[in-house]
Amino acid sequence: MFKKILIANRGEIAARIMRTCNALDIHTVGVFSEADKEAPHVQLADEAYCVGGSRVNESYLNIDKIIEVAKETKVEAIHPGYGLLSENPKFARRCEDEGIIFIGPSADVIAQMGSKIESRKVMKEIGVPVVPGIAHPLKDENEAAEIANSIGYPVMIKASSGGGGIGMKAVYNQEELLKYYAGNQKRATDFFGDGTMYIEKYIEEPHHIEIQILADKYGNSVYLWDRECSIQRRHQKVLEEAPSPFIDEKTRQKMGELSILAAQSIGYSNAGTIEFLVDADQNFYFLEMNTRLQVEHPVTEEITGIDLVEQQLLIASGERLTIKQADIKREGHAIEVRIYAEDPETFFPSPGRITKLYTPTGKGIRHELAISDSSVVSPFYDPMVAKLIIKGETRMKAINHLQEVLDAYELQGIKTNIPFLKKIVSHQAFREGDTTTSFIEKNIIKK
């Protein structure tokens, strides 16, 4: 096992990784921007270094500076967390070139799965169902319109790179396609430096379900069941739960087995997630592969009892998987809500100083956060400030407990989305498991 690693991230995920490192007696090196110099994750690290200015491109995306700190502190490995540099093949390759272990898959695999066009092609070849569409970059909106007419509307125009819903748009006719194509391509170019676009059939009101996998460097791999991630606003996840209340055991097993096949076919190593869209008849289609730890990984940890960060560290250090598929049990139900510093009505970010923070404790309650009752929430980063995870014996018990904890949760000084989360959790459709990707638009923000 490693003796010293650098965590190239910030906030709650940096703190989460440090917690497992501390349990394994691994010395941690943290990094921070000028805006984050007082942040709790900086205090939690065994040692921490400033890597640049407040903006992400000046600091947390500053590959040269992060590598410089890694070499000066003589770390053996770098954990990228999620977001930021976690799915950047250039960063993974730079680590490899510098003799530093990147805690994740190889740079080649990250690049292959980071292209939605290339990953679709790979999945189709190995027999994983994909949404009808094309496996080549679009030339322009005219070609897009031609293909849309052959596939049939509605269709989804999508950026090949990136994620988070950026560069994506469902269109229902040619007029809409021609109207939105250029704008989405520009957004993709601005955010990811890649304006490559493709098109696929839009599956209306699907469930968004993902399979968590672990794979070592020796060809051993397992799946750790599923997560339902359909509660989304503008393609950004808001609430996740495990297991899905929608799919049956036969579908669950088939999705898991195909996810393992996919991982083995591409020579995948470390933790990863295969994401699927599932229609009303439980037909499922490959969406994308995330080659990193997911924001929602705690719900899987809660129902399986397996520390995914610990497994990442073991795999990256060269250990074989000791977990067999038959060993992975499923106990209870877990739900995670993402707490954002944003106005619950307009959804505008709400940076500022937190004046009071009270997080309820007790059985079945887990918090992932890196804020305190005097923290400043910066306008420079993602507005997610905390995650609340509840585990119950059944889904309904977990929902009822989550409602109670949200009612008692206090975060003052800034606006948060907690009132919005309460509306979701108390809605009858959610309680009944009717949680397609259009849930929020149909039930909470009715247009």
Side-chain angles (χ1 to χ4, degrees):
M1 178 52 79
F2 304 119
K3 290 184 170 58
K4 188 176 188 180
I5 73 166
L6 182 146
I7 299 161
N9 217 298
R10 63 179 298 279
E12 63 87 17
I13 188 57
R16 160 73 190 92
I17 296 164
M18 289 172 193
R19 187 170 70 243
T20 289
C21 288
N22 290 339
L24 297 173
D25 200 26
I26 298 171
H27 190 92
T28 57
V29 176
V31 294
F32 61 93
S33 67
E34 289 175 2
D36 271 347
K37 58 187 175 183
E38 302 296 330
H41 82 269
V42 177
Q43 313 304 319
L44 291 168
D46 293 312
E47 51 186 299
Y49 301 88
C50 183
V51 288
S54 299
R55 299 185 185 282
V56 288
N57 63 319
E58 301 169 333
S59 50
Y60 296 109
L61 297 181
N62 188 338
I63 292 175
D64 289 340
K65 185 62 179 178
I66 289 170
I67 292 294
E68 179 186 315
V69 170
K71 291 170 73 174
E72 286 179 356
T73 55
K74 296 181 170 57
V75 301
E76 300 154 272
I78 294 179
H79 196 307
Y82 56 70
L84 300 175
L85 293 170
S86 64
E87 292 182 290
N88 185 316
K90 292 180 182 177
F91 181 59
R93 190 165 286 113
R94 180 72 182 277
C95 290
E96 293 169 12
D97 293 343
E98 298 287 353
I100 301 167
I101 294 172
F102 178 82
I103 300 173
S106 70
D108 289 341
V109 168
I110 293 172
Q112 185 181 40
M113 291 297 103
S115 165
K116 293 184 178 64
I117 292 173
E118 183 62 25
S119 61
R120 272 177 58 91
K121 195 185 301 180
V122 170
M123 295 300 159
K124 191 172 183 179
E125 286 174 359
I126 63 177
V128 178
V130 299
V131 179
I134 61 167
H136 68 268
L138 289 166
K139 288 184 232 170
D140 53 31
E141 59 263 45
N142 293 323
E143 185 189 14
E146 184 181 322
I147 293 166
N149 286 329
S150 66
I151 295 173
Y153 288 95
V155 298
M156 179 77 84
I157 49 174
K158 301 175 80 170
S160 179
S161 298
I166 296 167
M168 289 173 56
K169 181 68 178 177
V171 294
Y172 289 80
N173 53 56
Q174 184 166 314
E175 183 182 358
E176 287 187 354
L177 187 150
L178 296 174
K179 177 181 177 182
Y180 292 112
Y181 185 91
N184 278 273
Q185 185 174 49
K186 184 178 185 304
R187 286 198 78 208
T189 302
D190 291 345
F191 276 84
F192 311 123
D194 181 3
T196 304
M197 304 293 289
Y198 73 106
I199 194 169
E200 64 185 22
K201 180 70 178 173
Y202 179 52
I203 299 174
E204 298 191 81
E205 296 201 23
H207 286 256
H208 184 147
I209 296 173
E210 59 191 30
I211 303 292
Q212 174 70 58
I213 63 161
L214 289 172
D216 66 19
K217 298 175 182 179
Y218 311 100
N220 304 302
S221 50
V222 294
Y223 66 91
L224 287 78
W225 307 111
D226 53 291
R227 296 186 289 255
E228 173 90 42
C229 305
S230 301
I231 306 290
Q232 303 175 10
R233 191 182 76 83
R234 295 183 177 175
H235 305 293
Q236 288 278 22
K237 298 166 188 172
V238 176
L239 177 152
E240 304 97 346
E241 56 185 310
S244 166
F246 172 65
I247 59 173
D248 59 30
E249 292 302 321
K250 183 179 178 181
T251 303
R252 179 173 284 118
Q253 182 178 344
K254 184 66 174 174
M255 291 172 75
E257 290 171 350
L258 281 174
S259 296
I260 292 303
L261 173 64
Q264 292 175 338
S265 298
I266 62 174
Y268 195 88
S269 174
N270 216 264
T273 303
I274 311 283
E275 302 202 356
F276 296 94
L277 292 179
V278 186
D279 69 17
D281 298 318
Q282 301 206 23
N283 299 305
F284 57 88
Y285 306 93
F286 171 78
L287 179 63
E288 64 183 356
M289 183 174 194
N290 288 299
T291 55
R292 54 168 167 80
L293 194 66
Q294 294 277 83
V295 176
E296 58 272 20
H297 76 274
V299 293
T300 294
E301 294 183 326
E302 290 301 315
I303 66 166
T304 62
I306 295 170
D307 184 326
L308 291 174
V309 175
E310 179 180 6
Q311 292 301 316
Q312 285 191 292
L313 294 165
L314 288 166
I315 291 167
S317 67
E319 295 288 330
R320 290 179 179 271
L321 268 178
T322 58
I323 306 168
K324 305 298 183 188
Q325 192 64 55
D327 299 333
I328 303 171
K329 307 304 180 188
R330 204 171 72 225
E331 180 185 304
H333 197 94
I335 306 174
E336 171 185 289
V337 291
R338 304 186 185 193
I339 297 174
Y340 289 97
E342 64 183 17
D343 187 298
E345 298 295 331
T346 66
F347 301 106
F348 291 153
S350 177
R353 184 176 292 278
I354 295 170
T355 57
K356 182 178 181 182
L357 176 65
Y358 171 70
T359 54
T361 58
K363 184 180 179 183
I365 302 173
R366 171 175 170 177
H367 298 282
E368 294 293 348
L369 70 170
I371 52 173
S372 67
D373 56 10
S374 60
S375 291
V376 174
V377 177
S378 168
F380 297 106
Y381 313 116
D382 185 278
M384 189 178 78
V385 293
K387 300 183 307 199
L388 167 63
I389 304 98
I390 299 293
K391 182 183 179 183
E393 293 176 12
T394 65
R395 183 173 187 267
M396 196 53 65
K397 286 183 178 179
I399 291 171
N400 292 337
H401 196 190
L402 177 56
Q403 286 183 288
E404 293 169 2
V405 176
L406 283 172
D407 285 339
Y409 203 106
E410 291 186 64
L411 207 170
Q412 298 178 11
I414 59 171
K415 293 180 180 180
T416 74
N417 68 330
I418 290 176
F420 179 65
L421 295 172
K422 289 180 181 180
K423 289 179 183 178
I424 294 172
V425 175
S426 63
H427 200 282
Q428 190 61 29
F430 173 74
R431 296 176 70 85
E432 292 173 357
D434 182 10
T435 57
T436 66
T437 54
S438 62
F439 174 88
I440 287 176
E441 286 74 18
K442 282 173 61 179
N443 301 296
I444 310 297
I445 310 174
K446 298 178 181 177
K447 296 179 181 178

